[in-house]
Every structure is written in structure tokens, then in C-alpha cells.
Amino acid sequence: NAGVTQTPKFQVLKTGQSMTLQCAQDMNHEYMSWYRQDPGMGLRLIHYSVGAGITDQGEVPNGYNVSRSTTEDFPLRLLSAAPSQTSVYFCASSPRRDSNQPQHFGDGTRLSIL
Amino acid sequence: AQKVTQAQTEISVVEKEDVTLDCVYETRDTTYYLFWYKQPPSGELVFLIRRNSFDEQNEISGRYSWNFQKSTSSFNFTITASQVVDSAVYFCALSLGLQFNNAGNMLTFGGGTRLMVKP
């Protein structure tokens, strides 16, 4: 059982470049979300989705786009990378619309913007 | 808005010492859920425990124990007889009940506490 899979694990970009961070889960979870982790700030919510075709903004959405065309996939797009987006990105999913269920996290993508 | 504060940014102990990681939270909602996650040096996030706001019973799991006190809005985590393998960053997090909105399942994290256990 793969759980939540994130690709790539590492990426270096130049300022202004665009890229997509991939996230896939094989647990048929309704909820999926993206967080970024910065030193001393814990993880902060970027965007989330409660099901296919439905997305919404989190705490720090600027500079990022998401879409949810299938239950399994929830890609995160950086339209024009900026050094402030250097971070570790985590994708998470949870089994149903219930706060009592813990979120399952992927292993993270370490992104550096030069 | 919710807030989670982990005032201890780094803690260093010697193996076999007991250590308590503090977590203080803020929310105006009466229904919420509290979590602890562990992030070892390899970087992944490992779920440790969840607790809902209506259950103030303390919990023990092996060397781990959690003390939830609504009166002080705290959810502290104690490791008894620490081991080198406990070295990690530990995050406390909060989410709200879904009766309010779809974002209720999302997590608000504290800044994390880096625990270093020396042999």
C-alpha cells in the first residue's frame, strides 16, 4: 500500500520558472491538502480539497494553484517561482470528512528557488 | 482563528531522562481535535496521537504520555526514559469540528520542538 506519494523529492528552480509538485494517494480519501514547512513556523496550509472538483484556499495560497480532477491526484502548481517559496512541501490526505481521522502525510518535496 | 504555540524550540536531554514538550492552543470553538506528530531526521511526519476536546483523560502509550488540560488550553507530551531514537522534531496541531466548515479537517500546527537525546 503506497499511501501518499509525492514527486519529486527534491527540486531546484530558478526564479520565474514554473513547476508542478505531484501528489497521489491510493486510499480513496476525500480530503487532500498541501502544507509548506518553514523553520520555526511549523506547517502552514496552502490549499485543500474536500473531493474531486472542489478546492479552497488555506492560510498561505498566494503564488500557488491547485486542481482536483480525480480523487487520487492533487497537484500543486507554482506559476512563477520566487525565492520566498523555498520550503519543504507536504501533501496529506484523510479518509473522510471527519476531523477525528488523522491525516496521512507524504514524505515531502524539498524545493529550492534560486 | 486558531493558534498553537510550542514555546520550546529546542530541548537537549541525556538518554534515560524524562522530558516534557509543551503545547498551548487557542480557539474559540468548543469542538476541536488535538494532535501530536513526530518528524524524525529522515523528514517524514509520523502521527502519534489525537484527542478530542470532550475527552480530557490522559493517555499513556508505552514511554509516551499526554496530559490534556482544557482549563489551561494545554496538551503536553511526556517521554519517559528518553532514547536516542526519540531525537526528532515534534509538532502539536489542532483542527476544528466539521460542523463549522469544510476547512475544519485542516490542521493548524505549532512551530515545533526539536528534541535531541544524547547517549
Side-chain angles (χ1 to χ4, degrees):
Chain A
N1 192 351
V4 179
T5 302
Q6 290 184 235
T7 56
K9 294 191 184 305
F10 303 95
Q11 184 71 48
V12 179
L13 293 177
K14 294 182 179 179
T15 298
Q17 287 185 315
S18 63
M19 83 159 293
T20 299
L21 308 185
Q22 301 291 344
C23 176
Q25 52 93 7
D26 60 359
M27 298 172 283
N28 202 33
H29 287 174
E30 289 182 298
Y31 267 40
M32 295 187 75
S33 52
W34 278 101
Y35 295 83
R36 59 177 288 174
Q37 181 181 6
D38 301 296
M41 303 185 73
L43 283 75
R44 292 178 293 168
L45 181 66
I46 305 172
H47 285 285
Y48 66 98
S49 169
V50 302
I54 307 170
T55 64
D56 208 342
Q57 296 181 349
E59 179 185 356
V60 288
N62 292 341
Y64 307 96
N65 275 359
V66 291
S67 59
R68 185 92 180 271
S69 57
T70 66
T71 299
E72 294 78 20
D73 300 299
F74 191 45
L76 178 72
R77 298 182 185 85
L78 282 70
L79 303 176
S80 178
S84 61
Q85 294 178 304
T86 293
S87 188
V88 181
Y89 292 85
F90 285 95
C91 179
S93 71
S94 53
R96 58 181 178 151
R97 297 169 67 172
D98 178 356
S99 295
N100 200 35
Q101 300 296 323
Q103 296 201 21
H104 299 251
F105 284 87
D107 288 341
T109 295
R110 187 174 296 274
L111 182 62
S112 295
I113 314 296
L114 304 178
Chain B
Q2 297 72 243
K3 185 178 180 181
V4 177
T5 301
Q6 296 179 254
Q8 305 150 308
T9 54
E10 285 193 7
I11 301 176
S12 181
V13 300
V14 177
E15 205 170 21
K16 298 185 182 178
E17 286 185 13
D18 298 347
V19 57
T20 295
L21 310 182
D22 297 332
C23 173
V24 174
Y25 61 91
E26 297 176 27
T27 179
R28 288 179 292 182
D29 300 294
T30 57
T31 301
Y32 52 88
Y33 302 84
L34 296 165
F35 301 80
W36 276 94
Y37 284 86
K38 175 182 180 180
Q39 186 177 44
S42 50
E44 73 274 20
L45 286 160
V46 179
F47 165 75
L48 295 178
I49 189 173
R50 67 177 177 268
R51 174 67 73 212
N52 73 57
S53 54
F54 299 108
D55 182 1
E56 288 192 69
Q57 279 192 335
N58 293 331
E59 182 158 339
I60 299 174
S61 176
R63 296 184 297 107
Y64 294 172
S65 62
W66 291 269
N67 182 359
F68 177 29
Q69 291 194 339
K70 288 180 73 171
S71 61
T72 56
S73 298
S74 65
F75 187 45
N76 296 338
F77 172 31
T78 298
I79 302 174
T80 303
S82 60
Q83 300 176 1
V84 173
V85 293
D86 295 327
S87 296
V89 179
Y90 291 86
F91 290 102
C92 181
L94 175 148
S95 69
L96 301 180
L98 281 168
Q99 65 268 30
F100 295 106
N101 56 58
N102 285 331
N105 186 251
M106 297 303 114
L107 294 166
T108 298
F109 283 85
T113 297
R114 181 178 300 277
L115 174 64
M116 293 171 285
V117 182
K118 300 178 181 178

